[in-house]
Amino acid sequence: VQEHPSSFYFPAEKMLLTIYVDDLLLSGPEKYHSVIWKRLSGKGRLDPPEELDRFLGRGHALSP
């Protein structure tokens, strides 16, 4: 994403990845999350994905 250099869009999967230091936030269709995490794990060591709780020092709550 040109205006946000730490955000990456995967058009085929319609996924958006935002990276800040050691925090990664992936959003988009749930069926593609494992595809993107697998692709990224080939680029370096990543901890397993966790449910969203805190990102950039802010608490988040998911709702339907």
Side-chain angles (χ1 to χ4, degrees), residues 18-33:
T18 300
I19 301 174
Y20 183 78
V21 185
D22 63 349
D23 287 331
L24 287 78
L25 179 65
L26 184 64
S27 59
E30 189 173 344
K31 65 182 179 179
Y32 294 119
H33 279 240

Side-chain angles (χ1 to χ4, degrees), residues 6-8 11 15-17 21 23-25 29-30 32 41 44 47 53 58-59 62 64:
S6 295
S7 295
F8 304 88
M15 301 291 289
L16 179 66
L17 174 69
V21 185
D23 287 331
L24 287 78
L25 179 65
E30 189 173 344
Y32 294 119
S41 68
D47 291 337
D53 178 37
R58 295 181 61 195
L62 301 177

Side-chain angles (χ1 to χ4, degrees), residues 25-45:
L25 179 65
L26 184 64
S27 59
E30 189 173 344
K31 65 182 179 179
Y32 294 119
H33 279 240
S34 61
V35 172
I36 300 299
W37 287 127
K38 184 175 180 179
R39 190 180 306 167
L40 293 173
S41 68
K43 306 290 184 191
R45 189 185 74 76

